[in-house]
Amino acid sequence: MGPLFIIGIFFSFFLQILLFSKKNKTIADKILGTWMLVIGLHLLSYYAYSLGYWDKYPHLTGITHPFPLLHGPFLYLYVVFSIRKTQGFRKKDFLHFLPAILSYLYMLPFFMYSEEQKRLVDSGQLTDFRVFMMLSLVGFVVSGVAYAILAYRLIGRFNKMVHENLSYDENVNLNWLRYCILGILGIFVTVGIFSTIQYLLKVDLPFNPDFIYFSEVILFILFVGYFGIRHESLFIESVS
């Protein structure tokens, strides 16, 4: 799994650099670039955890816990700004990140814990944040699935508008967006299925499902890279 994680981390940061070095960046480019950065940090954090670095450096524990709450909003806003003619964030656009911010605020006492207390929480021996962790898991799945559905419906409405208004400039690859949405939806559905088996049905799995989740994320990153290379306009300003 190590080489796969390294490839995923490298591609995440590489795609982020390509997007932010692009001339005449759109808001959609910046959103996708920031999302790639977040995914790269998420992968790097879990890879460090899998190597035992959280045991050596307990202060790292939990720093990326709310990150799954960011993936749905980034996906949705990327779709929104890919098909929206007017650019620029509105106040209500920032509200999509409120759940992640609230999660970090709730975790502030945890970040103040001693290294030993963090080890106990991470191992399940200290139950201070057990309910929060379970609710977070449900929130991750609901958020990811809900935003994927909203994004897919948004593309459907956009498609309908394009067919009804021939003068509309369709400047976005809708197939790419659909595949992107279905990929994210598949990841969160997988999380939901295995989490239900583990925590609701109390079944001990013979493998670590986290590796499946993150493998799917890495495949998603490679798909983004493949699309970007095949369709240069994603990373390079088109020549008119």
Side-chain angles (χ1 to χ4, degrees):
M1 284 299 296
L4 186 61
F5 269 96
I6 293 172
I7 291 172
I9 293 166
F10 170 79
F11 264 94
S12 298
F13 292 136
F14 178 66
L15 298 181
Q16 179 257 328
I17 292 171
L18 284 180
L19 286 161
F20 276 102
S21 61
K22 179 180 175 180
K23 294 182 180 180
N24 302 318
K25 293 180 291 293
T26 64
I27 296 293
D29 293 326
K30 295 176 182 178
I31 290 172
L32 185 58
T34 305
W35 189 16
M36 292 299 103
L37 175 62
V38 168
I39 291 177
L41 292 173
H42 200 178
L43 289 172
L44 180 61
S45 174
Y46 186 79
Y47 184 51
Y49 169 78
S50 68
L51 294 177
Y53 279 96
W54 285 13
D55 292 328
K56 296 179 181 179
Y57 309 102
H59 57 279
L60 296 175
T61 304
I63 57 174
T64 58
H65 178 75
F67 270 30
L69 291 172
L70 297 173
H71 300 313
F74 274 124
L75 169 67
Y76 178 74
L77 290 174
Y78 177 70
V79 173
V80 167
F81 283 97
S82 291
I83 63 181
R84 181 190 292 175
K85 284 188 174 181
T86 57
Q87 296 292 297
F89 266 86
R90 299 173 297 187
K91 289 183 179 179
K92 67 178 184 179
D93 292 327
F94 292 99
L95 293 178
H96 295 288
F97 300 103
L98 188 59
I101 294 172
L102 292 176
S103 293
Y104 273 113
L105 291 176
Y106 186 85
M107 291 180 68
L108 282 178
F110 171 79
F111 294 130
M112 303 299 177
Y113 278 4
S114 66
E115 293 185 356
E116 183 58 31
Q117 285 177 308
K118 286 185 177 181
R119 286 194 183 97
L120 292 174
V121 171
D122 191 45
S123 64
Q125 299 178 56
L126 194 61
T127 61
D128 290 10
F129 284 84
R130 179 172 294 176
V131 174
F132 170 73
M133 295 300 179
M134 294 304 297
L135 290 177
S136 295
L137 183 57
V138 174
F140 298 158
V141 175
V142 171
S143 172
V145 172
Y147 273 109
I149 293 173
L150 289 173
Y152 203 89
R153 290 180 62 186
L154 187 63
I155 287 181
R157 292 198 298 270
F158 176 76
N159 239 346
K160 183 179 179 180
M161 181 176 63
V162 168
H163 284 99
E164 292 177 350
N165 184 3
L166 296 179
S167 65
Y168 196 94
D169 180 21
E170 185 180 0
N171 59 353
V172 59
N173 188 317
L174 295 179
N175 287 331
W176 142 249
L177 290 175
R178 286 196 181 95
Y179 295 145
C180 179
I181 292 167
L182 292 175
I184 293 298
L185 180 62
I187 294 171
F188 280 101
V189 168
T190 303
V191 173
I193 291 173
F194 283 116
S195 297
T196 299
I197 294 173
Q198 273 188 298
Y199 303 113
L200 190 61
L201 301 180
K202 305 293 184 182
V203 176
D204 290 328
L205 297 174
F207 55 88
N208 186 351
D210 286 346
F211 287 113
I212 296 179
Y213 309 151
F214 283 101
S215 294
E216 289 180 322
V217 172
I218 292 168
L219 290 175
F220 173 76
I221 293 300
L222 295 177
F223 172 69
V224 173
Y226 170 78
F227 178 86
I229 293 172
R230 186 177 179 183
H231 303 271
E232 293 184 353
S233 59
L234 181 61
F235 298 125
I236 303 172
E237 191 63 26
S238 300
V239 179
S240 57

